[in-house]
Amino acid sequence: MEAFIQPGFWIFVLALAGIYGVFSLGLQIQYGVGGIMNFGHVGMMAVSGYTIAVLVIKYQWSFWWAALLGVVLAAFLGALLGLTTLRLSGDYFAIASIAFAEIVRYWILNSDDTTGGTQGTLAIPSPEGFASYTGQPDVILNWISERLYPIIGDEASRDLSMVLIVWPFFFLFIWISSRLQKTSWARVLRATREDDDVPRSLGKNVFRFRLQTLIIGSVFGGIAGVFWAVQFALLAPEDFLRIVTFYGWMILILAGSTRVKGLFVAAIFFGFLYGATRFLEFWPLSLLSSPERAYLRVFLIGLVIVLLMVKRPQGLFGKRQEMILE
Amino acid sequence: MENTNTIESAVLDVRNISVSFGGVKPVQDVSFSIKENSFTSVIGPNGAGKTSLFNLLSGMNKVSSGEIIFKGEAIQSIHAHKIAQKGLVRTFQGAKVIRRLTVAENLMMAVQGNPGDNLMGFLNPRARKSFETKAREEAMRRLDQVGLTKFADEYAGILSGGQRKLLDLSRALMADPKMLLLDEPFAGVNPTLVEKLLTVLAALRKEQSITFLLIEHDLETVMNISDRVIVMADGKIIADGLPNSIYENDLVIDAYLGSRRKDA
Ligand SMILES: Nc1ncnc2c1ncn2[C@@H]1O[C@H](COP(=O)(O)OP(=O)(O)O)[C@@H](O)[C@H]1O
Ligand SMILES: [Mg+2]
C-alpha cells in the first residue's frame, strides 16, 4: 500500500489524468452535447501520435510542426469519418466508428517501413539510427525540472514537468469548451441530440452541426495524442486498442456527459484506477499473477461503469432531471 | 380546379406531386395552389396522406414526381432546412418539443440568421450576445401570447401535451414564416384552448400576413376560420372548395363513412 503515499505515484496519476482528460473532452462535446456516439476516438490519438513519430524520426521534421500537422490530420480524419458515415443513424455510426479506428490501427500495424509495425516507433528507420522524437519537448521538460530541483529535489521528475504543461492546457480546453457549449450553436446541437426533424424544420443544417462537432472532438483527440506521444516517448500499435476509447467513455460517464466541468475530477479518478491496479499486491489479489492483475484494471473500470449506469446514470456531476424527462 | 386564375398571387403551387414508398403510395398526383395570406384546411380520414403531403412540402421526404413551387421557386428537390429558411415552416402532428432544452431555449433555437449558430460567431461575442438578448425578448413575448411565461426556464419535457402544442406553434412562429403548415394543431387540445388558438391564428394572419395551410381531422373545428377546405382520401384530393360546399359533397361523406366502416 505504501506505493499510494509516494508523490511519484500521484504525479503519474495526474499526468495520465490530464492526457485522458483532454481525450475525453472530445467525447464530451460529441456525445454530451451532440449525442454522437463515437467509439473510434482512439483513432484520432493514434493518428497525431504517429504523425509526430514518423515525421520527426524518419523525415527530421521539427517536433512542433509535426505536432501541428498531427492535430490537423486528426481533424481531417474526423471530417472524413463524418462525411462517410455520419449520415447513418446513431447505432450504426457507433459501429462504423469502431471499424474506422481499427482501420487506422491495422494500417499502422502493417506499414512497417513507415511506422515500425508491431515493434512500434523504436523500429522506424531513421537516418540517424536513433528513433527518438521527443528531443525538442524534452528540452522544455528538462528546463522545468531543473528549475524545480532546488526546491523539491528528486520529486522534480519528467512526469511532474508533464503535469505542469498538460494541466494548464486541460483547464484552458475545459474553459473553451464550456464557453462553446453556452452558444446558440450548442443549443441547436443539443436539439439534434434528441430529434433531427425539429431543427431541420427550423432551418438548421443538422449535418453541418454534427460534422463540426465531430471535427472539434477529433481535435481534442489529436491534442491528447500529442501529449501521449511525449509522455511515453515511444508508441506501439497496442497503445491504441479499442479499450482506450472506452477509458475515455468511462471518464465521461463518471463526470456526467452533459457537464464539462466535472471532467477533471473524473479524469483523476480514472488515472488513479489505472495507475493503482499495478500496486494491488496485497492478499487476496496477491494470489493472482501480475499479468492477471493487469486485467483487473479493465475489470475494475468496467465495474465502475456498470455501477454508475445503475446507481447514478447522470454521472457524479450531471443533473438527474435531464435523464428522466420523457 | 381554379388554379389558372389564382396563379398570379399564389405563394405555393403544387403540381401533380406523388410519392411512393415501395408499394405504398401515400400521395398520388396531388395539385393545388395556395393564395397569399389565405387560410386553407386539409381534412380527411386517418391515413389519407395529409401528413405525407406535409412531409413533401417541407422537404422532409422527396417527391417521386411533380413540382412544388414556393414564391416562384421550385423547391421539390432542395433540403428541408433550406425550405424552412425560405419561410415555409411546418409543425408536427403530436407536437415535437426538445425535452432537455428549456421552453425559452426551444423558442430561441428557431430564430433565423443567428450569428451564434455559426462557429465563426464564437469569435464575435458582442454580436452573439445582442442577438441572444433580442431572441430572448421575442421568445418571452411569444410565451406570453400563449400563456406559457411561467414555464420559460423549465425543461420543455415537463409540459403537458396541450402545452407542447402551444410551444410547437410558437416556435414555428419564431422562425419568421411566410407560410405555416400546421399538422393537427388542435388534436387533443381542450375546446377552450382551441378557441383561443383559433383567435391567435386569425390575428397572426391579419397582423403578419402569414399564409396558413392546416391539417385537421374534424371539419367542424376549422369551418369558420378557413376560406377554403381541401379534402383528401387515399392519397388523392377528392374535394376542394368553400367550407360550406364541402358539407354537401357526396364523395366526402363517402370517404368519412367509409373510414368509419373500416374502423368498426
Ligand atoms: N415513410 C413512409 N413509408 C411507408 N409508408 C408511409 C410512409 N409515410 C406514410 N406512409 C403511409 O402513408 C399513408 C398515409 O399516412 P399519413 O400521411 O400519415 O396519413 P394522415 O396524416 O392523413 O393520417 C399511411 O398508410 C402510411 O402508413
Ligand atoms: Mg397525419
Side-chain angles (χ1 to χ4, degrees), chain A residues 40-256:
Chain A
H41 198 40
V42 66
M44 310 312 166
M45 191 147 89
V47 163
S48 68
Y50 263 95
T51 301
I52 293 171
V54 171
L55 291 179
V56 175
I57 297 171
K58 198 172 176 189
Y59 301 102
Q60 283 81 54
W61 275 46
S62 141
F63 171 90
W64 310 111
W65 285 115
L68 184 67
L69 186 69
V71 174
V72 170
L73 278 183
F76 184 76
L77 231 63
L80 193 68
L81 172 65
L83 287 170
T84 49
T85 60
L86 203 50
R87 286 188 202 276
L88 298 171
S89 69
D91 309 347
Y92 295 101
F93 174 78
I95 293 168
S97 67
I98 297 183
F100 171 80
E102 288 294 271
I103 291 170
V104 171
R105 192 168 64 86
Y106 274 96
W107 181 82
I108 292 170
L109 203 54
N110 291 297
S111 310
D112 300 48
D113 291 344
T114 310
T115 63
T118 45
Q119 300 177 62
T121 53
L122 279 177
I124 297 177
S126 157
E128 287 163 9
F130 182 62
S132 167
Y133 57 82
T134 55
Q136 283 169 302
D138 276 343
V139 171
I140 292 176
L141 294 173
N142 286 335
W143 184 87
I144 296 174
S145 295
E146 280 163 20
R147 298 303 105 127
L148 290 176
Y149 186 79
I151 311 166
I152 54 173
D154 284 340
E155 300 303 341
S157 59
R158 189 174 186 275
D159 280 355
L160 181 60
S161 305
M162 274 307 280
V163 170
L164 293 175
I165 288 180
V166 172
W167 275 79
F169 274 108
F170 184 21
F171 279 125
L172 174 72
F173 295 151
I174 287 181
W175 181 75
I176 292 175
S177 192
S178 72
R179 288 297 301 261
L180 194 56
Q181 290 175 35
K182 288 189 185 108
T183 61
S184 58
W185 176 82
R187 189 166 58 212
V188 174
L189 202 57
R190 280 194 193 94
T192 69
R193 175 177 67 182
E194 268 179 57
D195 187 317
D196 279 7
D197 287 342
V198 171
R200 275 170 84 205
S201 75
L202 298 168
K204 313 297 176 190
N205 184 350
V206 172
F207 184 72
R208 171 175 72 89
F209 282 83
R210 289 230 173 93
L211 188 64
Q212 287 172 335
T213 312
L214 194 62
I215 293 173
I216 292 169
S218 300
V219 167
F220 285 131
I223 293 171
V226 174
F227 290 148
W228 175 294
V230 176
Q231 169 72 24
F232 296 105
L234 76 144
L235 305 171
E238 74 253 26
D239 294 337
F240 304 107
L241 295 172
R242 273 157 302 182
I243 188 74
V244 176
T245 299
F246 292 104
Y247 290 159
W249 274 92
M250 194 210 89
I251 295 171
L252 185 61
I253 291 168
L254 198 62

Side-chain angles (χ1 to χ4, degrees), chain B:
Chain B
M1 268 168 271
E2 35 169 14
N3 277 0
T4 35
N5 46 7
T6 57
I7 206 131
E8 287 294 293
S9 58
V11 59
L12 182 75
D13 194 16
V14 175
R15 296 177 187 162
N16 309 96
I17 59 170
S18 302
V19 69
S20 55
F21 303 105
V24 190
K25 294 193 170 81
V27 176
Q28 295 167 46
D29 198 27
V30 164
S31 301
F32 58 88
S33 169
I34 301 287
K35 271 199 263 182
E36 190 143 11
N37 203 16
S38 61
F39 198 118
T40 310
S41 293
V42 180
I43 66 164
N46 273 327
K50 306 181 295 294
T51 298
S52 302
L53 172 67
F54 271 24
N55 288 341
L56 296 178
L57 299 181
S58 60
M60 300 220 149
N61 287 327
K62 294 299 165 204
V63 297
S64 307
S65 61
E67 270 186 315
I68 303 165
I69 315 290
F70 179 63
K71 292 197 289 183
E73 184 186 357
I75 57 164
Q76 71 274 4
S77 47
I78 73 175
H79 287 301
H81 67 267
K82 293 227 171 96
I83 293 177
Q85 285 168 6
K86 289 179 194 298
L88 182 56
V89 178
R90 71 171 295 176
T91 65
F92 296 92
Q93 186 169 357
K96 290 188 175 188
V97 302
I98 304 297
R99 301 182 304 272
R100 286 184 289 166
L101 288 184
T102 67
V103 169
E105 284 173 332
N106 261 276
L107 295 188
M108 289 160 74
M109 181 180 78
V111 187
Q112 300 297 299
N114 191 338
D117 279 3
N118 194 306
L119 272 183
M120 282 299 128
F122 188 54
L123 303 173
N124 189 353
R126 183 122 26 103
R128 207 151 37 82
K129 278 208 191 94
S130 79
F131 197 94
E132 279 293 281
T133 315
K134 265 190 244 139
R136 168 94 192 178
E137 279 164 13
E138 192 189 338
M140 295 311 285
R141 234 184 1 260
R142 297 277 177 204
L143 288 178
D144 188 43
Q145 210 169 30
V146 293
L148 288 178
T149 308
K150 65 170 184 281
F151 295 103
D153 297 313
E154 303 284 344
Y155 283 122
I158 70 159
L159 296 183
S160 71
Q163 290 166 333
R164 287 180 192 208
K165 295 228 160 183
L166 299 176
L167 177 57
D168 202 17
L169 178 63
S170 304
R171 190 176 52 197
L173 290 168
M174 289 283 287
D176 194 22
K178 186 89 191 87
M179 176 167 181
L180 263 183
L181 308 172
L182 306 176
D183 195 347
E184 301 204 19
F186 308 130
V189 178
N190 75 60
T192 342
L193 201 51
V194 171
E195 283 309 313
K196 191 180 160 197
L197 278 177
L198 285 169
T199 329
V200 171
L201 296 187
L204 283 166
R205 179 185 175 187
K206 231 176 168 178
E207 289 154 20
Q208 299 183 28
S209 50
I210 295 173
T211 309
F212 285 91
L213 186 63
L214 177 146
I215 294 178
E216 174 52 48
H217 209 66
D218 172 39
L219 178 55
E220 211 74 52
T221 316
V222 289
M223 196 63 187
N224 291 325
I225 197 170
S226 312
D227 35 40
R228 177 181 170 195
V229 174
I230 293 174
V231 188
M232 278 185 80
D234 292 329
K236 297 187 193 89
I237 292 180
I238 57 165
D240 183 349
L242 297 171
N244 278 321
S245 74
I246 298 300
Y247 252 130
E248 290 121 41
N249 192 307
D250 287 345
L251 278 170
V252 178
I253 295 164
D254 270 359
Y256 271 99
L257 290 178
S259 81
R260 245 172 248 156
R261 227 178 283 139
K262 256 181 260 161
D263 289 348

Side-chain angles (χ1 to χ4, degrees), chain A residues 5-66:
Chain A
I5 50 173
Q6 301 284 326
F9 168 74
W10 287 102
I11 289 167
F12 176 71
V13 164
L14 279 180
L16 209 62
I19 296 168
Y20 270 102
V22 174
F23 182 65
S24 58
L25 263 179
L27 293 173
Q28 193 274 330
I29 197 161
Q30 289 171 351
Y31 179 71
V33 189
I36 301 168
M37 274 205 251
N38 179 0
F39 289 153
H41 198 40
V42 66
M44 310 312 166
M45 191 147 89
V47 163
S48 68
Y50 263 95
T51 301
I52 293 171
V54 171
L55 291 179
V56 175
I57 297 171
K58 198 172 176 189
Y59 301 102
Q60 283 81 54
W61 275 46
S62 141
F63 171 90
W64 310 111
W65 285 115

